[in-house]
Structure formats: structure tokens, C-alpha cells
Amino acid sequence: GAGATSAGGQPTGGAGATLSSDGTAVATPAGSAAGPVTGHLGDKLTFTNFANDPVDATLVKIYDPATPNDTSQAPLSPATHWVGFEVIVNDQADYQTDSGGFDAVTSAGSTVTTTDTYQNATVVLGDGFKGCTQTDGDPGTVTPYTYCGAFPVPDGQTLVKVGLNVTGAPLVKTDQATWTVP
């Protein structure tokens, strides 16, 4: 819609189109002709992946701050803390052909991802965080699947949006589902 932005902070250009930072149209993946779906924390959002297979996803909870299960996790840069999220995904197709990722927008307008880089190293919470239990097993064989992830967020900032991309095409980075966080 007019004036809307994706979780990556990029303006959307109406149904099925996303604008790049220079304002040119970026093609959306097959199955996304209706454009990205949006909702609020707790809403189940339904969209299709790159292969036109249905996906239901629900952003269940935000953990701010998130406390790592393993205290030896890679250190964050100074003045940064973990903000965790729990998402339940029901991808009714073979996850082996999908690739996906999460990103978010902070209250200061910065984009953060689950693979944000600090001090020349990728920082992820590989062993999860207290309070969220990721589903055991392979997402290709367990449906629905609960994901637990965390973003490195500058101190004093909160999350205002969380985005999900399940495409099957690693070069397509348009979020298909975006939740607004109160």
C-alpha cells in the first residue's frame, strides 16, 4: 500500500512490488502476487512461498531482553543486547527447498537480522535463549515448527517490526510476512 514499508524498512510499491532504496521496482517472487502480508504480534499471517505452497506463520512473543541459554555465546558489541522472538511456522511444503530469514526494524529505524555482524564475526544465538523452546527435529519433517531466534539490538532501542522471508530463492530478500510489535 502507499506509504507502507517492509520489515527491512524499504517502502512497498503496492501489491506485488517492492521498491529498492533508489525507488526502482524490485520483482517479487512467484506466489507473492498479492504482496506481503502484514499484521500485529500474535496474528497468524498466511502467504505463499516461492513454489506457491501455502505458509502460515505466527509471531508469538518478543523477549526483551533475551538471556542466552549458553553464557559462552559470542559476545555482542558494547551497548547491545539480545531481543528474542518466537515464531510458529506451518509451511505445508518441503522445507528442504525453502530458505528463509528473519529481520526486524528497531524503534530508531535501524534494520537488524538474525545474522547481524559485529566485530567482523557473525553473531547468532545458536543455543537459543531462556523461555523459548525451539521444536526438536528438522523443519522439513515437523509441522508446525517453532523457531526461536534473537536479534542484536542497540541498548535503548526496542523492536517495532519483525519480518519473515520463506522463498526458496536465496537472492529474493522481500519479506513476505511482517508483524508490527506494540
Side-chain angles (χ1 to χ4, degrees):
T5 58
S6 71
Q10 298 298 319
T12 60
T18 299
L19 301 179
S20 69
S21 60
D22 65 2
T24 59
V26 176
T28 56
S32 296
V37 293
T38 59
H40 294 89
L41 177 69
D43 291 346
K44 178 169 83 171
L45 302 180
T46 301
F47 58 96
T48 56
N49 64 14
F50 188 72
N52 275 334
D53 296 313
V55 179
D56 297 326
T58 306
L59 177 63
V60 179
K61 188 170 182 182
I62 298 293
Y63 300 78
D64 189 356
T67 304
N69 286 331
D70 181 354
T71 57
S72 68
Q73 290 287 331
L76 292 174
S77 64
T80 303
H81 66 285
W82 292 111
V83 176
F85 63 92
E86 180 178 346
V87 174
I88 299 172
V89 178
N90 182 15
D91 186 346
Q92 299 162 19
D94 181 5
Y95 255 116
Q96 303 303 330
T97 62
D98 289 339
S99 63
F102 293 93
D103 60 14
V105 176
T106 71
S107 53
S110 302
T111 299
V112 292
T113 71
T114 52
T115 56
D116 226 345
T117 302
Y118 287 99
Q119 301 170 358
N120 298 319
T122 299
V123 179
V124 296
L125 262 182
D127 292 323
F129 54 90
K130 296 179 190 318
C132 190
T133 306
Q134 184 158 313
T135 302
D136 287 333
D138 182 347
T141 60
V142 180
T143 300
Y145 195 91
T146 300
Y147 285 94
C148 296
F151 302 109
V153 175
D155 290 347
Q157 296 181 35
T158 60
L159 297 184
V160 295
K161 291 184 181 182
V162 174
L164 168 61
N165 172 295
V166 180
T167 65
L171 299 178
V172 179
K173 298 297 184 189
T174 304
D175 287 331
Q176 294 154 306
T178 302
W179 295 269
T180 300
V181 178

